[in-house]
Amino acid sequence: HAFLRTSDGTMTSIAPQNAATSYAYGIARKGSIAGYYEDAGSAWHGFLRNPKGMFKTFDVPGASFVAVYGMNDHGAVTGFYRDQAEVTRSFVRDSDGTIETFDPAGSTFTAAYGIDDDGAVTGYYMDASFVAHGFLREPDGTMTSFDAPGGANGTYANGISSNGEIAGYYID
């Protein structure tokens, strides 16, 4: 199950109602948490938990699986989902609940992991040759693909700072 550890060391298990499994990945400065969970019927959903412990769950329309990884201080989250054709794609959910899906050009699999406070998203995608490339999606939707030097076998972007710095790893 997902948990929250406060700065004083207090541990709290967190899970939306009827969750069989839960994972927390994103946390905002004021304590809101984002993640995803599996329900008793084996369906996967995204969740947001506010600092008072109230949950909001959501799905990406047409998704058979939803995974939420990144959260910014404005309540926007990012992650990926599996569509009805079993293709993995990425999404951004704004604080008002609006969901926008996206894929970099040439991708066969896309996984968004980080979002900054301006709404820039980073992650990675696989091309038709099964090589992973990092991506940056600007708030206006502009996409930039990149590869780490020596990362011929894969570049995996996982987080983005408020300065636009991207952290991840590569396989040489």
Side-chain angles (χ1 to χ4, degrees):
H1 291 285
F3 68 86
L4 169 65
R5 182 185 182 276
T6 60
S7 58
D8 69 4
T10 303
M11 297 285 289
T12 303
S13 179
I14 59 172
Q17 187 173 10
N18 299 320
T21 304
S22 58
Y23 302 92
Y25 283 95
I27 188 165
R29 274 185 244 183
K30 293 185 180 177
S32 294
I33 296 170
Y36 62 104
Y37 72 99
E38 180 183 22
D39 66 22
S42 297
W44 293 86
H45 315 275
F47 75 80
L48 303 171
R49 180 188 180 271
N50 72 18
K52 294 180 181 180
M54 303 298 295
F55 284 90
K56 195 180 285 187
T57 64
F58 68 92
D59 292 305
V60 175
S64 63
F65 172 86
V66 175
V68 180
Y69 282 91
M71 178 177 208
N72 68 21
D73 286 336
H74 302 297
V77 298
T78 194
F80 52 91
Y81 69 100
R82 193 172 311 119
D83 68 14
Q84 293 173 343
E86 296 299 310
V87 176
T88 301
R89 303 176 180 283
S90 288
F91 71 90
V92 173
R93 182 187 185 274
D94 290 333
S95 60
D96 67 2
T98 303
I99 295 174
E100 185 176 353
T101 63
F102 64 90
D103 296 298
S107 67
T108 61
F109 171 100
T110 307
Y113 281 96
I115 185 168
D116 72 9
D117 284 342
D118 292 328
V121 174
T122 195
Y124 74 93
Y125 70 95
M126 300 288 244
D127 65 22
S129 298
F130 303 104
V131 174
H133 307 275
F135 72 81
L136 170 64
R137 181 184 182 270
E138 299 289 351
D140 68 2
T142 302
M143 300 286 290
T144 302
S145 176
F146 61 89
D147 293 303
N153 292 320
T155 299
Y156 300 83
N158 294 324
I160 185 168
S161 75
S162 59
N163 297 328
E165 299 162 318
I166 296 174
Y169 64 97
Y170 67 94
I171 299 170
D172 59 10

